């Protein structure tokens, strides 16, 4: 039964990736040299691609590769849905309530599929090859059917490799939960400081795009891409703050937020004068800030891993210290 359920999640991810979500299509469109049909809107195309690819599609693939992380993925998607609702309210864009509903329905499908799974339920991750084969078959075979060999130019191939690398690594790197599901995982003050340091510019950017929307600026698509910029900026900040306060596991939200921020910055540097772009200077700042997020998150991972290793060296009963080489001894 589990393989069929996981394949259902894979099909759901394809809906976000290709049609109707256009996640990978729009992201690939904006990668240089860029599609000439969107020459003056590549920044907005790329930003929508980042939002849907990194913040929605990658979590779906994470749970496809490792169902035990279902609860974490559901919480992550609900945060993104909440940011869609906030953007709908600030921009007065009712269509974004529909987008929020779509994200909530996606989270509900994950929960219905893997609701009994629990983070950390697998103390050792046993790699299964069939999900990788299914992923390659779906993400190579379907684009070939829809778009032909041209779907796999250097840009498309690079995006596909990056998608597999990041989602696979996020699925496998969290080998054990630092706390029971739903429990407080502990705060990370360095991550919170970094998140709050970038909160002002990101929220200011979200507000500026909402103001543009109020002034009549539009770029229609599946949904209008102007409010999408507000969703992207808000989601980056909220995901990091929630993770820093211990309500989400650190790695999934921090890496997806950092990759989204860095990609946003890269597109801002590439297309500094296009609609929605904050300019090259702010783009460079976003890249640097995103790197700081990763450093803060992985420093936390290292500290927790070291602390866990020390705890595991105690032997019960008597709490005897096993020593770094496993030899018995008494703690000093």
């Amino acid at each position: 039964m589990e393989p069929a359920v996981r394949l259902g999640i894979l099909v759901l991810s394809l809906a976000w990736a290709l049609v109707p979500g256009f996640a990978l299509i729009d992201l690939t469109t904006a990668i240089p040299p860029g599609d000439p049909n969107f020459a003056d809107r590549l920044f907005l195309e790329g930003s929508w691609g980042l939002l849907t690819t990194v913040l929605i599609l990658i979590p779906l693939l994470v749970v496809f590769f490792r169902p035990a992380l279902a609860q974490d993925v559901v919480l992550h998607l609900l945060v993104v849905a909440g940011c869609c609702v906030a953007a709908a309210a600030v921009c007065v864009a009712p269509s974004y309530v529909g987008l929020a509903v779509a994200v909530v329905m996606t989270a509900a499908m994950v929960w219905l599929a893997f609701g009994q799974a629990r983070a950390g339920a697998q103390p050792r991750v046993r790699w299964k090859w069939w999900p990788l084969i299914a992923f390659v078959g779906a993400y190579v075979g379907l684009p070939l059917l829809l778009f032909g060999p041209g779907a796999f130019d250097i840009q498309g191939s690079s995006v596909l490799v990056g998608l597999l690398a990041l989602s696979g690594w996020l699925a496998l790197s969290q080998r054990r939960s630092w706390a029971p599901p739903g429990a407080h995982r502990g705060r990370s003050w360095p991550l919170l400081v970094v998140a709050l340091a970038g909160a002002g510019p990101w929220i200011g950017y979200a507000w500026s795009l909402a103001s543009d929307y109020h002034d009549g600026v539009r770029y229609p698509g599946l949904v209008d891409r102007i409010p999408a910029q507000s969703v992207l900026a808000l989601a980056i900040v909220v995901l990091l703050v929630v993770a820093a306060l211990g309500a989400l596991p650190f790695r999934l939200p921090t890496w997806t937020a950092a990759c989204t921020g860095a990609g946003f910055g890269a597109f801002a540097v590439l297309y500094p004068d296009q609609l929605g772009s904050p300019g090259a200077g702010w783009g460079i700042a976003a890249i640097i800030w995103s790197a700081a997020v990763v450093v803060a998150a992985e420093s936390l991972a290292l500290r927790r891993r070291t602390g866990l290793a020390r705890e595991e060296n105690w032997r019960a009963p008597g709490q005897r210290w096993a020593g770094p080489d496993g030899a018995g001894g008494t703690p000093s």
Side-chain angles (χ1 to χ4, degrees):
M1 184 63 181
E2 180 185 315
V5 172
R6 291 172 77 170
L7 288 175
I9 295 299
L10 183 64
V11 172
L12 179 62
S13 76
L14 284 168
W16 282 101
L18 301 175
V19 179
F22 292 97
L24 297 184
I25 296 172
D26 286 357
L27 183 57
T28 304
T29 294
I31 296 176
D35 189 331
N37 295 317
F38 301 92
D40 59 343
R41 293 292 187 270
L42 290 173
F43 180 81
L44 292 176
E45 291 289 321
S47 294
W48 172 259
L50 285 170
L51 169 63
T52 47
T53 299
V54 185
L55 297 183
I56 299 175
L57 175 56
I58 283 180
L60 281 176
L61 291 176
V62 166
V63 80
F64 166 70
F65 286 122
R66 191 177 175 200
L69 299 179
Q71 179 167 308
D72 297 337
V73 168
V74 168
L75 292 174
H76 178 105
L77 291 173
L78 291 179
V79 169
V80 175
C83 292
C84 292
V85 173
V90 172
C91 297
V92 193
S95 62
Y96 273 78
V97 176
L99 180 62
V101 170
V103 178
V104 169
M105 290 178 62
T106 300
M109 291 178 189
V110 171
W111 183 252
L112 289 173
F114 303 119
Q116 300 305 314
R118 290 294 182 264
Q122 303 170 4
R124 292 182 180 273
V125 179
R126 294 183 178 180
W127 177 254
K128 295 181 179 179
W129 285 103
W130 75 260
L132 177 60
I133 295 170
F135 172 88
V136 173
Y139 276 82
V140 173
L142 189 57
L144 283 174
L145 288 175
L146 291 176
F147 310 110
F152 291 101
D153 52 14
I154 185 64
Q155 295 95 330
S157 300
S158 299
V159 168
L160 189 61
V161 170
L163 181 71
L164 175 60
L166 182 57
S167 59
W169 181 76
L170 287 174
L172 296 177
S173 61
Q174 189 169 313
R175 291 188 174 274
R176 62 184 75 226
S177 177
W178 303 120
H184 182 72
R185 293 173 169 85
R187 297 179 181 87
S188 170
W189 297 115
L191 183 58
L192 183 62
V193 167
V194 174
L196 293 179
W202 284 116
I203 293 174
Y205 175 79
W207 182 259
S208 71
L209 268 292
S211 299
D212 289 343
Y213 190 77
H214 293 160
D215 293 339
V217 179
R218 298 289 187 273
Y219 182 40
L222 177 67
V223 290
D224 197 292
R225 305 300 171 81
I226 302 300
Q229 299 300 103
S230 295
V231 176
L232 181 148
L234 290 174
I236 288 173
V237 174
V238 176
L239 282 169
L240 290 178
V241 170
V242 169
L245 293 177
L248 273 174
F250 73 95
R251 187 161 270 154
L252 178 62
T254 53
W255 273 87
T256 52
C259 289
T260 304
F264 174 94
F267 284 136
V269 172
L270 290 168
Y271 312 115
D273 301 319
Q274 291 193 359
L275 177 64
S277 175
W282 283 110
I284 293 171
I287 294 171
I288 295 172
W289 176 82
S290 299
V293 167
V294 170
V295 170
E298 291 307 309
S299 297
L300 172 64
L302 180 61
R303 290 196 302 273
R304 288 180 173 177
R305 193 157 50 239
T306 302
L308 187 63
R310 289 175 177 172
E311 289 180 7
E312 288 179 342
N313 279 331
W314 288 84
R315 291 181 177 177
Q319 290 189 329
R320 290 178 56 81
W321 177 248
D325 56 357
T330 303
S332 57

